[in-house]
């Protein structure tokens, strides 16, 4: 993984979203397609964190009720000292990517230093997290659907995707 400078939100948000959606899950495939065709409509930095709002064509909407409104998190920024200094969440509202949020975890202000993106995986006992280059199965399971990921019409008319699990 490459080191990213956390102080430049314009350069940071794209690798963060790609990292959040970097799994062989049909839901993430559909969201990657949305992100690739999205438009940034605003970036707000408030000294504490940041918000990037997206506009996505409504024809790319995910129709599966289980997946229409989700928070995709579990990604942290780890500094060169090995400390978790920030965390990221991608919001999906009504089947469309809505916004990316970045929040500090080690201080009351947004860190301005080099970070490496890592997944925060919860240990089996549920009490502790560890950082890794891949999501564990428990973290992946949160984003699997019991049915097909129906998409309103983004790829082909009536397109649907299913997980290979």
């Amino acid at each position: 993984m490459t080191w990213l400078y956390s102080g430049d939100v314009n350069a940071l948000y794209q690798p963060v979203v790609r990292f959040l959606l970097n799994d062989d899950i049909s839901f993430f495939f559909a969201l990657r397609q949305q992100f690739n065709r999205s438009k940034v409509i605003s970036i707000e930095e408030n000294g504490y964190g940041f918000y990037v709002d997206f506009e996505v064509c409504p024809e790319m909407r995910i129709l599966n009720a289980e997946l229409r409104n989700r928070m995709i998190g579990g990604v942290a920024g780890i500094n060169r000292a090995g400390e978790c200094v920030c965390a990221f969440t991608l919001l999906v509202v009504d089947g469309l990517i809505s916004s990316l949020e970045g929040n500090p975890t080690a201080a009351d202000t947004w860190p301005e230093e080099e970070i490496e993106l890592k997944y925060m995986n919860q240990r089996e006992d549920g009490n502790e997290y560890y950082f890794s280059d891949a999501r564990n199965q428990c973290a992946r399971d949160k984003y699997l659907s019991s049915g097909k990921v129906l998409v309103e019409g983004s790829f082909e008319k009536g397109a649907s995707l299913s997980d290979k699990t």
Side-chain angles (χ1 to χ4, degrees), residues 9-68:
V9 174
N10 286 306
L12 183 63
Y13 82 87
Q14 288 188 14
V16 168
V17 171
R18 294 191 194 298
F19 197 79
L20 278 160
L21 300 177
N22 186 28
D23 244 317
D24 188 23
I25 298 171
S26 59
F27 176 48
F28 287 174
F29 176 81
L31 293 177
R32 283 193 302 270
Q33 298 308 307
Q34 287 184 12
F35 180 67
N36 290 340
R37 295 179 178 100
S38 69
K39 182 172 105 177
V40 172
I41 54 175
S42 70
I43 296 177
E44 177 189 338
E45 297 177 70
N46 59 16
Y48 178 75
F50 71 82
Y51 304 90
V52 179
D53 293 319
F54 301 99
E55 180 178 80
V56 179
C57 177
E59 287 79 32
M60 298 185 79
R61 183 180 320 280
I62 293 171
L63 301 175
N64 184 310
E66 288 179 74
L67 304 173
R68 283 179 69 96

Side-chain angles (χ1 to χ4, degrees), residues 48 85 104-110:
Y48 178 75
V85 294
T105 58
D108 290 334
T109 58
W110 184 253

Side-chain angles (χ1 to χ4, degrees), residues 2-163:
T2 2
W3 291 93
L4 304 166
Y5 178 61
S6 64
D8 183 359
V9 174
N10 286 306
L12 183 63
Y13 82 87
Q14 288 188 14
V16 168
V17 171
R18 294 191 194 298
F19 197 79
L20 278 160
L21 300 177
N22 186 28
D23 244 317
D24 188 23
I25 298 171
S26 59
F27 176 48
F28 287 174
F29 176 81
L31 293 177
R32 283 193 302 270
Q33 298 308 307
Q34 287 184 12
F35 180 67
N36 290 340
R37 295 179 178 100
S38 69
K39 182 172 105 177
V40 172
I41 54 175
S42 70
I43 296 177
E44 177 189 338
E45 297 177 70
N46 59 16
Y48 178 75
F50 71 82
Y51 304 90
V52 179
D53 293 319
F54 301 99
E55 180 178 80
V56 179
C57 177
E59 287 79 32
M60 298 185 79
R61 183 180 320 280
I62 293 171
L63 301 175
N64 184 310
E66 288 179 74
L67 304 173
R68 283 179 69 96
N69 297 293
R70 299 298 301 264
M71 291 176 37
I72 300 166
V75 169
I78 308 298
N79 68 12
R80 289 195 180 266
E83 303 164 322
C84 176
V85 294
C86 55
F88 304 95
T89 304
L90 183 67
L91 301 176
V92 177
V93 177
D94 198 24
L96 297 170
I97 290 176
S98 175
S99 62
L100 173 69
E101 296 180 5
N103 295 295
T105 58
D108 290 334
T109 58
W110 184 253
E112 294 199 13
E113 60 187 300
E114 288 187 322
I115 59 169
E116 185 177 27
L117 300 177
K118 295 284 186 180
Y119 294 103
M120 296 185 302
N121 291 308
Q122 194 166 17
R123 298 201 185 278
E124 288 183 23
D125 62 13
N127 294 327
E128 216 178 291
Y129 286 90
Y130 65 95
F131 300 105
S132 171
D133 290 328
R135 282 187 180 95
N136 66 10
Q137 190 59 46
C138 179
R140 292 187 75 218
D141 287 349
K142 294 189 295 188
Y143 305 111
L144 299 177
S145 170
S146 59
K148 290 188 176 189
V149 179
L150 298 174
V151 179
E152 195 164 299
S154 61
F155 313 112
E156 299 173 17
K157 197 66 176 158
S160 68
L161 306 165
S162 61
D163 291 307

